[in-house]
Every structure is written in C-alpha cells, then in structure tokens.
Amino acid sequence: MVGFVSGGAIREPVEGFDAELFAIYLLREAQRRGIGTALLGRLAGSLKARGFRSMMAWVLEDNSSGGFYSRSGGVRVASKEMDVGGVMLPVVAYGWKDLEAIWKGVGAV
C-alpha cells in the first residue's frame, strides 16, 4: 500500500458543498505519479454514487501539497484557524463544485 483517501458527508458546513475530503496521503516515493489524482477521482466517484454533488477539503495553509489541490481543479473557498495539537494554525478550504468533473477528469477510475 502506498496511500489512502478518505471522505464523506461534510462535517462543518461550508456553503455550496455537501461532502468533504477528510484525508489523502501518499508515501513520498509514490507522489507525482498520478496516484493521488486517481485516489481523488475514486473518492469523487464513490461520493457521487452516494448522492453527493460537491466536495471540499481543509488544508493547512503552509501545506507543501497545496498545489495538488489547485492542479486537481480545487479552488480556495474559505479560510479559518484550526487547533492542531494545541496550536492554532491557519487552514484553507479547497472546493470542487462538481464531483462529476473530478470523476470524469481522471478517467472514471
């Protein structure tokens, strides 16, 4: 196993979104090979099959993988501070308004 993705119903309302990407993780040596995009597409297809229409993800503002979300079609839709281990850190929400577009964009894996 080189990575995983997890998502479901949105946990904290963000206007215009009904699902949330909870986590996506890849081993460093598996990154930049299309696996993350495939996982994102698989999650989008699964969420779509369960009746969801859109998805967002909270990401640390300093996250070096922020470009992945933008390249995958996500746009910044919100920001806030989040308690991470007792420290308040800035986070941003990337959103995808149409799960169908993500799912089809990766070849409906």
Side-chain angles (χ1 to χ4, degrees):
M1 184 165 107
V2 297
F4 68 88
V5 67
S6 174
I10 198 165
R11 297 175 287 191
E12 178 183 325
V14 174
E15 189 174 337
F17 299 92
D18 59 359
E20 183 175 350
L21 166 62
F22 301 145
I24 186 167
Y25 177 80
L26 287 174
L27 294 174
R28 186 169 308 281
E29 57 269 20
Q31 294 174 6
R32 301 200 176 274
R33 295 182 180 185
I35 298 168
T37 301
L39 287 172
L40 190 67
R42 178 65 62 119
L43 176 62
S46 173
L47 292 170
K48 183 180 168 311
R50 293 173 23 211
F52 293 102
R53 296 176 312 280
S54 58
M55 176 175 68
M56 53 74 55
W58 287 108
V59 179
L60 288 171
E61 192 170 49
D62 293 8
N63 187 329
S64 62
S65 297
F68 166 77
Y69 301 100
S70 295
R71 287 189 303 277
S72 299
V75 296
R76 287 184 179 209
V77 295
S79 63
K80 67 177 183 176
E81 286 197 336
M82 179 183 289
D83 183 334
V84 179
V87 177
M88 296 303 287
L89 296 175
V91 294
V92 296
Y94 286 88
W96 296 263
K97 288 284 191 180
D98 183 10
L99 290 174
E100 179 85 14
I102 301 169
W103 186 68
K104 284 185 174 181
V106 296
V109 293

